[in-house]
């Protein structure tokens, strides 16, 4: 996955860079979300056992983490 997933089409390069920088700045390591991401990668059915709100939060977390890793590597 790249950090450009889940971005609206039509963003200017400057706006895209701004959104990605904000995602990177929002990233705070969360071991519970990391474990959930690992578990969902190994067992996609696991995602159905957690609430939609938690799945959405984990999705945002994954986007923030990817941006952080891309911009700080």
């Amino acid at each position: 996955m790249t950090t450009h997933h889940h971005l609206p089409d039509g963003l200017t390069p400057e706006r895209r860079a701004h959104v990605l920088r904000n995602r990177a700045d929002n990233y705070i390591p969360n071991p519970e979300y990391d474990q959930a991401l690992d578990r969902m990668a190994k067992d996609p059915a696991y995602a159905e056992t957690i609430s939609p709100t938690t799945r959405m939060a984990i999705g945002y977390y994954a986007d923030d983490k990817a941006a952080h890793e891309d911009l700080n590597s």
Side-chain angles (χ1 to χ4, degrees):
M1 180 171 125
T2 69
T3 56
H4 300 282
H5 286 274
H6 308 116
L7 287 178
D9 293 332
L11 292 178
T12 64
E14 295 81 17
R15 181 69 181 146
R16 183 177 295 273
H18 178 75
V19 170
L20 293 174
R21 171 51 55 198
N22 281 344
R23 285 182 177 178
D25 290 346
N26 286 334
Y27 174 69
I28 298 170
N30 183 324
E32 290 178 17
Y33 282 1
D34 285 325
Q35 289 175 343
L37 286 169
D38 290 342
R39 188 163 175 196
M40 283 190 286
K42 293 175 186 170
D43 178 15
Y46 172 70
E48 299 302 320
T49 67
I50 56 180
S51 73
T53 303
T54 301
R55 281 196 310 267
M56 185 173 66
I58 291 170
Y60 283 126
Y61 174 80
D63 288 344
D64 293 350
K65 181 178 180 179
H68 175 80
E69 289 172 352
D70 283 354
L71 294 174
N72 291 297
S73 59

